[in-house]
Amino acid sequence: DDSYDGDDIRNHSDILKQASTKAKSGKVRIDIVEAIYKEKTTSRGSSSSKSSKSRSSLKSKKAKNESRWSEGSTRKTIVLDRSTTITVLMTQCKSKLKMKKKPSRVFFVDIDSKIEMDLTNDLSGIDDGTLIYVTSYAVNNVSSPQPDDKIKEDDKDSDNEDEKLNVIDPLDAVKKVYKLHKRKLNKNRCEQQITENLPSFTESLDDLEPLPNARLDLPAANYRSKILSALDTSRVLVICGATGCGKSTQVPQYILEGMKAIGY
């Protein structure tokens, strides 16, 4: 129209903005009820139900929705802001309807097409008095699976998880041996550095002072040189002997005397 100028266009856009703002503002009264899904039971009439689906898809689709879930016994009416998020709505529904499980889906059924419409963001665009269904049963929006289909998917997921758990690294044994070898090599290097920094007792055995007669009578005196020589190559030395042989009294003196012979 030639008479439709720029001011009219701006006014039209303002009207659209106000309409969208109004759709998200204000409050809305809705009815909430739990959608309880039924477990599908196998029967001999499964083949006949498949043939009936092929005959009339619309009729079977409607019957499918009716047999898939049923309304709970409790229905509540609540008033919420249109900007209320779906997460908040689920929390309110769980409390009002006293649901045992956490809700995972909120939807309403279109009156004309009988199609389930999921709510994803907020309550904008919902009319007053709309019946909102809430359920803890997860349904795929693209193609709503039956309980049997969900069980099959769960079985596939569990099989995949089992396969992941059963995967064994062929180099696992090699890696363990490598770690043990590396740990042993580092330990030997530390011991070698400690022994290299210390002087040798074996080279100074001839410089040891002779033992008095009272100490020579003890059995430990016969192992004086062996004990000092063993300390040159080992950080830990375990000495076993009978009670009174001189383990506690003589061995510390042997080490002290050996250090003195070296020059300490």
Side-chain angles (χ1 to χ4, degrees), residues 168-203:
I168 299 175
D169 188 1
L171 298 178
D172 191 18
V174 178
K175 291 178 181 179
K176 289 182 179 179
V177 173
Y178 177 77
K179 288 181 179 179
L180 292 175
H181 177 71
K182 189 176 181 180
R183 189 182 304 170
K184 187 176 181 180
L185 185 63
N186 293 334
K187 183 179 179 181
N188 293 337
R189 286 178 181 175
C190 293
E191 292 179 354
Q192 186 177 1
Q193 290 176 359
I194 294 173
T195 54
E196 284 178 356
N197 296 332
L198 294 176
S200 176
F201 286 120
T202 307
E203 297 175 357

Side-chain angles (χ1 to χ4, degrees), residues 133-239:
Y133 296 94
V134 57
T135 180
S136 57
Y137 182 84
V139 178
N140 191 355
N141 293 331
V142 178
S143 59
S144 302
Q146 293 294 330
D148 285 353
D149 297 336
K150 187 175 184 296
I151 293 172
K152 291 179 181 179
E153 292 178 0
D154 294 341
D155 292 340
K156 289 181 181 179
D157 295 338
S158 60
D159 293 341
N160 293 334
E161 291 178 359
D162 293 339
E163 290 178 0
K164 292 179 181 178
L165 293 175
N166 294 331
V167 172
I168 299 175
D169 188 1
L171 298 178
D172 191 18
V174 178
K175 291 178 181 179
K176 289 182 179 179
V177 173
Y178 177 77
K179 288 181 179 179
L180 292 175
H181 177 71
K182 189 176 181 180
R183 189 182 304 170
K184 187 176 181 180
L185 185 63
N186 293 334
K187 183 179 179 181
N188 293 337
R189 286 178 181 175
C190 293
E191 292 179 354
Q192 186 177 1
Q193 290 176 359
I194 294 173
T195 54
E196 284 178 356
N197 296 332
L198 294 176
S200 176
F201 286 120
T202 307
E203 297 175 357
S204 304
L205 293 178
D206 297 335
D207 298 333
L208 293 173
E209 295 180 357
L211 295 174
N213 293 330
R215 297 177 60 189
L216 281 174
D217 294 337
L218 294 173
N222 299 326
Y223 299 93
R224 183 188 186 187
S225 300
K226 290 184 179 180
I227 292 172
L228 293 176
S229 299
L231 290 174
D232 287 340
T233 57
S234 302
R235 296 178 59 191
V236 179
L237 184 62
V238 180
I239 299 175

Side-chain angles (χ1 to χ4, degrees), residues 24-75:
K24 293 186 178 181
S25 62
K27 296 183 180 295
V28 61
R29 177 180 56 81
I30 58 174
D31 295 335
I32 56 174
V33 64
E34 183 179 3
I36 303 174
Y37 278 75
K38 302 176 182 178
E39 294 183 359
K40 187 177 180 181
T41 57
T42 57
S43 60
R44 295 180 179 178
S46 59
S47 59
S48 61
S49 63
K50 290 182 180 179
S51 61
S52 63
K53 285 184 181 180
S54 60
R55 294 171 187 171
S56 56
S57 59
L58 183 60
K59 184 177 179 181
S60 63
K61 189 174 183 180
K62 185 176 179 181
K64 179 181 175 183
N65 289 336
E66 291 176 355
S67 61
R68 220 166 21 136
W69 54 267
S70 61
E71 293 185 10
S73 58
T74 305
R75 179 182 292 197

